[in-house]
Amino acid sequence: MPEHSTATLAALMAPRIGVCLARIPSSMKALHDLDLVEIMPTPPLPRPATFKRWKEALGPSTQRSFVPPLEPLFASDATPRDATLHFEWICRSFEALEAHFLVLDTRQWIQPGQRDRARLLALRQKFADALPSATLVWQPAGLWELEHAARFAEQNGLVCAFDPRLEDAPPAANLIYARLRGVGLHARLTQAAEERMFDRLSNTEAEEIYVVLATSRSVNDALRLRGRVADAEPSA
């Protein structure tokens, strides 16, 4: 397996490798070896106390990221009360998890038009006010082009998530948050995609890089990548 891209990535940017999970199994000690665990819960949604247990089940040095479902905030049939209660659940869960990142995966609800941009900025401000310690990450989708989405995010206090298997990293970003989602032909992290990812990430001058895997073998792939990067780091 080629090693040049891994060595470059490790030496220049010390990437942090993580995994996306719907819940944290108490017996999965292997997660302690990862730098980040991204939690994207599915219904039935857990109570904030459950997030606290999950936080305690992770290693003390493992950073945490929270990807809440946003449908109750955007769906046309959601009532104002539904939206308020869900927003409060997100904030309580984030705090119980003591998360570092809040990922706003806006899917089809936020498109490039002016009205949707305003909706996203209003939501960003609400979370910034309620969770001042959170680093807010935005996952664009639909009609957005990464170049335009990244510029919009940078101008408005957001980190733009992207998939480095498919796109180049935003060139001006100080913090890179890469999310490798397992969809369709990209359900698995192939060797070719892995090398392409490393090569693309090595072209950025970002001070911090996070790579989160949500592929069909996400935990195994993340542990392997973490080991590969660790092996490439220069010894003290």
Side-chain angles (χ1 to χ4, degrees), residues 6-17 35 63 176 201 206-211 226 229-230 233-234:
T6 306
T8 299
L9 189 63
L12 294 180
M13 290 161 286
R16 295 166 180 146
I17 307 298
D35 302 302
Q63 292 183 281
I176 294 291
L201 291 178
E207 297 177 0
E208 294 180 88
I209 287 184
Y210 293 84
V211 177
R226 185 67 190 86
V229 169
E233 291 175 346

Side-chain angles (χ1 to χ4, degrees), residues 73-130:
L73 303 182
F74 289 115
S76 58
D77 59 347
T79 67
R81 175 175 170 77
D82 291 338
T84 297
L85 291 176
H86 191 68
F87 180 85
E88 292 173 352
W89 172 82
I90 291 174
C91 293
R92 291 197 306 271
S93 300
F94 180 93
E95 291 169 342
L97 188 60
E98 296 183 21
H100 303 80
F101 300 99
L102 179 65
V103 179
L104 305 177
D105 186 354
T106 54
R107 304 187 184 185
Q108 76 274 14
W109 295 300
I110 297 296
Q111 296 301 317
Q114 191 61 40
R115 176 177 174 271
D116 282 357
R117 291 177 184 238
R119 294 173 73 196
L120 177 59
L121 292 183
L123 186 62
R124 186 212 72 84
Q125 190 60 53
K126 284 188 66 175
F127 280 122
D129 291 341

Side-chain angles (χ1 to χ4, degrees), residues 123-152:
L123 186 62
R124 186 212 72 84
Q125 190 60 53
K126 284 188 66 175
F127 280 122
D129 291 341
L131 301 170
S133 67
T135 297
L136 300 177
V137 178
W138 170 45
Q139 175 78 70
L143 300 176
W144 284 95
E145 295 183 5
L146 179 61
E147 179 183 358
H148 298 154
R151 186 183 306 117
F152 179 73

